[in-house]
Amino acid sequence: MSVDVAAPPTELDAPDDDVIVSRRHRPLSVARTAWSWIWPKLAAVAIVLGIWQFLVWIEWKPIYVFPAPATVFSELGNLMTTQRFWESVATTLRRAAFGYTAALVIGSILGILVSRIRILRAAVGSLITGLQTMPSIAWFPFAIIVFSGTENAIYFVVVLGAAPSIANGIISGIDHVPPSFVRLGKVMGANNYSLYRHVVLPAALPSYVAGLSQGWAFAWRSLMAGELLVIVLGVTSIGASLDFARQFVHMDQVMAWMIVILVIGMVADSIFTTMSRTLRRRRGLAIDD
């Protein structure tokens, strides 16, 4: 009668010490990464608040013109308890999402066409750059007259502000795709569509994401200018509320709405920054980020 005796564990059966250590310290590394991302922003906020309070203490401007941080944040807290505040934020975010999406579609299609068609690039290539450098606010007199002061005037300027940056981003990315990538794709039998779909556009993605981020910045600035200039009756928004506070010289409300605009812009920028960092890490370009 034979008795099966389990073989003693060997070094191969033992768990890897590096794996155990990495699992044990994973929460600590995540917390450390989060803290390294948060503390510079907290330090910047603290510096700004310190300078702001210092200017109040030395009475740089009268208190009704330049209120203290505590007064402004107290007013911001009061605004956040009202329905009008959330309606204003929702209206502005809806306009931003619609306008930026339209600019994304138009700019992407235009960028791909210009990068592919040589005659089209010669015709409108410099025009796209000219539109990008043109201040968005210069379009509003034209847009207000053409669209009779409706929301379409705002959307028109938002698209004109963002689409050229997105188009230039994808054009620049395609222009900097290594020729060896294209030759390799052709050797492997890719046709024109497959070549752009699986080789050229993925290689151009980093520049495209940079164009998306820049396009958002132009779209957000154009939207804020539009909401200050184009007041749609019966519709509240961040820009309209900001202008309303300005007319009645409620500087605490003016600065509170400015903080809201700044925070939304920073949140959107952090999204694009995360996208860019993730893309670089996947391509081995930002291992230590």
Side-chain angles (χ1 to χ4, degrees):
M1 175 175 139
S2 62
V3 178
D4 294 335
V5 178
T10 64
E11 293 183 358
L12 295 177
D13 298 325
D16 192 352
D17 291 340
D18 293 337
V19 174
I20 295 176
V21 172
S22 64
R23 289 177 179 175
R24 185 179 302 165
H25 293 283
R26 186 175 299 168
L28 180 61
S29 63
V30 172
R32 186 176 300 169
T33 301
W35 174 246
S36 66
W37 181 82
I38 292 174
W39 81 260
K41 294 176 174 55
L42 294 178
V45 170
I47 292 173
V48 172
L49 291 177
I51 296 174
W52 183 356
Q53 185 62 55
F54 175 75
L55 293 175
V56 172
W57 283 336
I58 65 174
E59 297 182 354
W60 175 63
K61 292 290 183 181
I63 196 66
Y64 64 87
V65 174
F66 192 73
T71 304
V72 174
F73 282 102
S74 175
E75 181 62 26
L76 178 59
N78 294 333
L79 287 174
M80 293 178 65
T81 61
T82 63
Q83 182 179 357
R84 181 181 178 86
F85 174 86
W86 298 109
E87 289 178 352
S88 300
V89 173
T91 299
T92 297
L93 292 180
R94 172 181 57 81
R95 289 172 174 175
F98 182 83
Y100 183 72
T101 301
L104 174 63
V105 174
I106 295 173
S108 300
I109 295 175
L110 182 61
I112 294 174
L113 291 177
V114 169
S115 63
R116 285 196 49 135
I117 304 173
R118 189 169 301 176
I119 296 178
L120 188 61
R121 167 172 289 197
V124 302
S126 59
L127 178 61
I128 295 175
T129 304
L131 290 174
Q132 182 179 355
T133 58
M134 185 173 179
S136 299
I137 198 170
W139 286 102
F140 275 106
F142 173 82
I144 292 173
I145 294 174
V146 172
F147 296 101
S148 302
T150 62
E151 280 192 349
N152 292 331
I154 299 176
Y155 292 137
F156 175 78
V157 178
V158 169
V159 171
L160 277 178
S165 297
I166 297 173
N168 272 333
I170 196 168
I171 291 171
S172 176
I174 292 176
D175 286 346
H176 289 85
V177 173
S180 58
F181 288 12
V182 178
R183 289 196 296 266
L184 181 61
K186 290 180 178 179
V187 169
M188 297 181 67
N191 55 27
N192 288 335
Y193 173 78
S194 298
L195 189 65
Y196 266 79
R197 169 66 178 83
H198 299 289
V199 178
V200 176
L201 292 181
L205 197 56
S207 294
Y208 182 49
V209 172
L212 294 179
S213 178
Q214 189 177 43
W216 163 257
F218 279 104
W220 186 239
R221 287 189 293 178
S222 301
L223 178 59
M224 290 299 100
E227 289 189 344
L228 287 171
L229 295 174
V230 182
I231 307 298
V232 181
L233 295 178
V235 180
T236 182
S237 64
I238 292 179
S241 300
L242 178 61
D243 187 64
F244 181 82
R246 176 195 63 82
Q247 292 178 16
F248 288 90
V249 200
H250 291 164
M251 290 305 297
D252 49 353
Q253 287 191 20
V254 168
M255 299 183 72
W257 283 112
M258 290 172 64
I259 291 174
V260 173
I261 295 171
L262 177 63
V263 169
I264 294 176
M266 291 175 62
V267 170
D269 178 73
S270 66
I271 293 174
F272 287 108
T273 301
T274 302
M275 290 173 55
S276 178
R277 184 184 297 113
T278 302
L279 183 62
R280 295 198 312 272
R281 183 181 291 114
R282 287 180 178 178
R283 300 190 176 199
L285 301 176
I287 299 176
D288 295 329
D289 277 1

